[in-house]
């Protein structure tokens, strides 16, 4: 039931960075392309590139009509498809002032309907909030109805209020997740490909034990990615299974200048301060109640983000690919709503994917 | 009279493509509504409505979901689809058995959840929020976001236990496929007795079959006669037409177009001038 794609679409190959001798004389945009083409060869480990995360938020800083945001999701999915990205990813949260999408499968359904080849993923679906039987039937229906283009990223979440709204004790989150995933596996190939989000040992063991994918969060260092992959693979080996590795990464392509990097970091920091400050728990309390912890989280987010020239991004992706990362969802600074995302998506597509597939510029 | 179609994927093809093909045909020829159903064990109507909403712009969408799941999840889903469709959703809640108490509590939560303010629900089945000690959650109320686009989310009810709940909340109750016109008439009389003149605010919808052939053709005079008769008898004002399940997409589109050309024009006015229907038959076949 999996949809077979034309060879090469959305799949890049990264290998050793080669100095771009002629790039210094080229115009800026051309220089970016040259940087990347010189940085890439076809013979390295391969990696799928997706874009995310669409949340349909109307924030204090970026107020918008929620209906318009959902219309943009469909438009952006068409753009991602035309740029031949592997996938587009949507997220889930509940009861928040900005309207953060609470029903990612419905958002995914609209994006899948708006496209014909793009895969659409949930990054992540809070599966433990759902009734296992009902949600499994919905997932299998959408996977089948879309020709196998749904990717199912799942996570426990971390907001107690979301569990409380649904009358579920946070203490049973893990057990509910296990039960839901195990039930979903009984559907075999009718179920969508599943990626278990998180980097806690329990999440990595869960993915490995069930032979599912791992979707590592955005703010891990390379060493943490390496260690997480090792844990997941060890759990998979113990269960006689294999595990696929995905990772989300905050990312933004620049012209290599400090000014563009500074701008991107400021945008990311503003996003992180609100996101982590209001309700992302830092040692159990919202970040705004612990300013030092919050600023540490902002620094950690910046330090682990992929922000730089296309060549720099490729070099970072190469490191991840060498660790065994097969899928990288590039989280385009914050909630993906920046109008500059269109240029960023085109640049990533042009400067990374197409040259590798031999498409003339 | 508003006319719609019941969306069912044609056998054999890709489901989303089939649903979008039918809904696009209905929209392009001016029908009013596409209805997505759930089947036992597969509560997929909102997923189908979300898919269709992304590919249409004016067609109203009805999504029929059974009561039984967590109503907050249903309320959030309805809000999201109402946003995807820019305010075109009607949520139909079906009684999954004969449990009108379950349906009533679901409706109570849905109506609160679709209002643009925080709410608290303390019912027999659900406490929202639960304020469980281990969750360290002190907020007394929750709010569903994003808010629905429409001023009020249209909610219709369907099924065995629906009539009582519909009267209690002054909601529309959908006449089912096999519900006799006399039965529908009796139900609306009882509704009028209970809720008085407010009954005039309610749409009077029904699901009705169309016996279309393999090419999508059907006896439009018979369909018009039936719908007109029910309009006069009990006030039917929104007919959702179900085509045979074995039709392919081409036949379905042909039937949808025939509804638009041969049925819809005959159900707008109270009386048509002499000769006009004969003229239409001569022109349209």
């Amino acid at each position: 039931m999996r949809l077979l794609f034309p060879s090469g679409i959305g799949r890049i190959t990264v290998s050793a960075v080669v100095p771009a001798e002629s790039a210094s004389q080229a115009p800026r945009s051309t220089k970016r392309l040259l940087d990347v083409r010189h940085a890439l060869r076809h013979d390295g480990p391969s990696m799928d590139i997706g874009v995310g995360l669409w949340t349909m938020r109307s924030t204090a800083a970026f107020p918008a009509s929620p209906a318009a945001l959902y219309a943009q999701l469909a438009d952006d999915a068409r753009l991602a498809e035309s740029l031949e990205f592997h996938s587009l990813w949507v997220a889930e949260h509940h009861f928040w002032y900005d309207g953060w999408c609470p029903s990612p499968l419905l958002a995914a359904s609209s994006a899948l309907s708006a496209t014909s080849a793009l895969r659409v993923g949930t990054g992540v679906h809070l599966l433990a909030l759902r009734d296992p039987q009902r949600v499994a039937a919905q997932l299998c229906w959408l996977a089948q109805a879309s020709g196998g283009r749904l990717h199912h990223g799942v996570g426990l979440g971390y907001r107690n209020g979301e569990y409380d709204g649904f009358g579920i004790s946070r203490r049973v989150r893990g057990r509910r997740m296990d039960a839901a995933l195990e039930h979903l596996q009984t559907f075999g190939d009718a179920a969508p490909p599943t990626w278990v989000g998180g980097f806690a040992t329990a999440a990595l063991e869960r993915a490995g034990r069930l032979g599912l994918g791992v979707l590592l969060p955005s703010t891990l260092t390379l060493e943490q990615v390496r260690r997480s992959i090792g844990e997941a693979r060890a759990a998979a080996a113990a269960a006689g299974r294999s595990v696929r590795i995905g990772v989300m990464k905050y990312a933004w392509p620049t012209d290599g200048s400090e000014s563009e990097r500074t701008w991107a970091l400021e945008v990311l920091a503003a996003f992180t301060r609100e996101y982590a400050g209001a309700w992302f728990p830092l040692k159990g309390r919202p970040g705004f109640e612990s300013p030092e912890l919050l600023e540490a989280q902002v620094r950690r987010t910046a330090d682990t983000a992929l922000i730089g020239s296309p060549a720099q991004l490729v070099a970072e992706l190469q490191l991840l690919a060498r660790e065994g990362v097969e899928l990288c969802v590039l989280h385009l600074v914050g909630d993906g709503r920046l109008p500059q995302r269109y240029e960023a998506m085109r640049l990533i597509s042009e400067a990374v994917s197409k040259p590798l597939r031999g498409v003339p510029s | 009279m508003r006319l719609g179609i019941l969306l069912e994927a044609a056998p054999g093809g890709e489901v989303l493509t089939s649903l979008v093909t039918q809904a696009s045909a209905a929209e392009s020829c001016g029908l009013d509504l596409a209805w997505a159903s759930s089947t036992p064990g597969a509560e997929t109507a909102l997923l189908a409505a979300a898919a269709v909403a992304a590919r249409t712009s004016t067609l109203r969408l009805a999504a029929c979901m059974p009561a039984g799941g967590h109503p907050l999840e249903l309320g959030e889903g309805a809000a999201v689809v109402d946003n995807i469709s820019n305010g075109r959703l009607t949520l139909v809640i079906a009684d999954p058995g004969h449990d009108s108490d379950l349906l009533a509590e679901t409706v109570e939560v849905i109506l609160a959840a679709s209002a643009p303010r925080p709410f608290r629900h303390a019912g027999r089945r659900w406490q929202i929020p639960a304020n469980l000690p281990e969750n360290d959650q002190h907020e007394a109320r929750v709010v569903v976001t994003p808010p629905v686009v429409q001023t009020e989310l249209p909610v219709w009810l369907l099924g065995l236990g629906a009539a009582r709940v519909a009267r209690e909340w002054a909601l529309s109750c959908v006449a089912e496929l096999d519900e006799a016109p006399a039965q529908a008439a009796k139900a609306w009389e009882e509704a009028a007795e209970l809720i008085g003149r407010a009954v005039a605010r309610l749409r009077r919808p029904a699901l009705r079959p169309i016996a279309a052939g393999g090419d999508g053709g059907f006896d439009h005079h018979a369909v018009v006669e039936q719908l007109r008769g029910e309009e006069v008898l009990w006030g039917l004002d929104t007919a959702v037409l179900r085509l045979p399940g074995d039709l392919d997409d081409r036949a379905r589109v042909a039937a949808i177009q025939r509804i638009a050309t041969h049925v819809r024009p005959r159900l707008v006015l109270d009386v048509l001038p002499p000769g006009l229907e004969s003229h239409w038959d001569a022109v349209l076949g």
Side-chain angles (χ1 to χ4, degrees), chain A residues 46-226:
Chain A
S46 62
M47 176 188 285
D48 290 326
I49 296 293
V51 288
L53 285 171
W54 270 256
T55 56
M56 283 61 77
R57 301 168 65 204
S58 172
T59 63
F62 296 100
S65 151
L69 295 175
Y70 282 92
Q72 282 180 12
L73 167 66
D75 291 342
D76 291 355
R78 293 185 190 100
L79 175 63
E81 178 168 86
S82 74
L83 294 175
E84 299 174 355
F85 280 107
H86 167 269
S87 48
L88 177 146
W89 295 69
V90 297
E92 170 180 355
H93 275 301
H94 299 261
F95 320 135
W96 196 237
Y97 87 95
D98 60 12
W100 192 310
C101 177
S103 306
L105 296 184
L106 297 173
S109 183
S110 72
L112 287 163
S113 174
T115 54
S116 57
L118 183 74
R119 299 165 180 88
V120 177
T122 56
V124 290
H125 184 210
L126 303 180
L127 188 62
L129 288 178
R130 316 295 184 184
D131 175 84
Q133 276 74 34
R134 285 189 172 84
V135 75
Q138 291 166 345
L139 285 161
C140 293
W141 183 89
L142 187 55
Q144 187 269 336
S146 63
R149 293 187 288 129
L150 176 67
H151 278 237
H152 187 217
V154 302
L156 286 179
Y158 40 81
R159 291 185 70 207
N160 292 346
E162 293 176 332
Y163 281 87
D164 203 69
F166 287 93
I168 297 168
S169 168
R170 68 185 305 277
R171 292 177 185 159
V172 300
R173 294 180 308 166
R175 271 173 275 162
R176 287 179 63 94
M177 176 68 86
D178 284 335
L181 289 175
E182 286 164 9
H183 179 65
L184 194 54
Q185 286 204 311
T186 65
F187 289 82
D189 284 346
T194 302
W195 302 85
V196 178
F199 74 109
T201 296
L204 300 170
E205 288 183 347
R206 180 176 290 122
R209 175 169 46 83
L210 297 173
L212 303 172
V214 168
L215 191 58
L216 299 171
S218 299
T219 54
L220 299 190
T221 64
L222 185 62
E223 176 54 34
Q224 288 173 310
V225 168
R226 184 179 298 129

Side-chain angles (χ1 to χ4, degrees), chain B residues 4-285:
Chain B
I5 55 160
L6 195 150
L7 294 173
E8 288 178 292
E14 188 181 276
V15 172
L16 290 189
T17 303
S18 177
L19 299 180
V20 168
T21 297
Q22 296 168 55
S24 298
E27 178 171 275
S28 67
C29 64
L31 296 191
D32 302 290
L33 178 73
W35 171 298
S37 290
S38 296
T39 54
E43 300 170 9
T44 57
L46 281 171
L47 287 168
V52 168
R55 299 286 295 274
T56 54
S57 57
T58 59
L59 189 69
R60 289 203 63 84
L61 306 168
C64 182
M65 298 285 287
H70 200 292
L72 196 52
E73 182 179 343
L74 181 57
E76 289 181 326
V80 167
V81 174
D82 199 48
N83 275 274
I84 294 171
S85 65
N86 196 21
R88 293 183 280 137
L89 178 70
T90 295
L91 178 64
V92 185
I93 309 174
D95 179 1
H98 202 342
D99 190 347
S100 59
D101 288 341
L102 170 66
L103 183 63
E105 189 171 348
T106 299
V107 167
E108 184 174 358
V109 174
I110 291 297
L111 294 179
S114 59
R117 65 190 185 93
F119 75 99
R120 180 175 186 81
H121 173 80
R124 287 180 58 192
R125 287 178 176 78
W126 295 291
Q127 309 287 319
I128 305 171
N131 293 131
L132 299 176
E134 63 269 32
N135 286 345
D136 193 26
Q137 169 65 18
H138 307 297
E139 293 163 16
R141 300 188 296 167
V142 297
V143 63
V144 166
T145 62
V148 299
V149 174
Q150 299 174 83
T151 309
E152 294 177 46
L153 179 69
V155 177
W156 296 350
L157 304 184
L158 177 74
L160 289 172
R164 179 183 76 76
V165 182
R167 287 169 207 148
E168 182 181 355
W169 293 97
L171 298 172
S172 292
C173 194
V174 183
E176 297 197 64
L177 272 171
D178 56 355
E179 186 171 333
Q183 190 179 349
K186 184 169 183 291
W188 281 100
E189 284 172 13
E190 292 172 355
E193 287 173 13
L194 272 172
I195 65 176
R197 295 170 65 182
V199 77
R201 298 182 61 250
L202 304 180
R203 297 280 65 78
R204 299 189 178 205
L207 298 167
R208 290 293 177 257
I210 283 191
D215 61 353
F218 59 86
D219 180 353
H220 63 274
H221 291 297
V223 172
V224 168
E225 183 179 2
Q226 179 197 343
L227 297 180
R228 172 69 78 193
E230 294 203 57
E231 184 271 317
V232 171
L233 178 65
W234 62 271
L236 169 67
D237 61 16
T238 305
V240 180
L241 304 171
R242 182 187 190 185
L243 300 167
D246 58 353
L247 294 190
D248 62 20
D249 278 333
R250 177 178 293 190
R252 287 176 177 276
V253 168
I256 288 165
Q257 291 171 339
R258 189 168 179 83
I259 293 168
T261 55
H262 289 68
V263 177
R264 182 188 176 93
R266 289 172 163 86
L267 290 173
V268 179
L269 301 180
D270 188 30
V271 178
L272 289 172
L276 184 55
E277 288 192 77
S278 300
H279 166 72
W280 285 340
D281 285 340
V283 171
L284 298 169

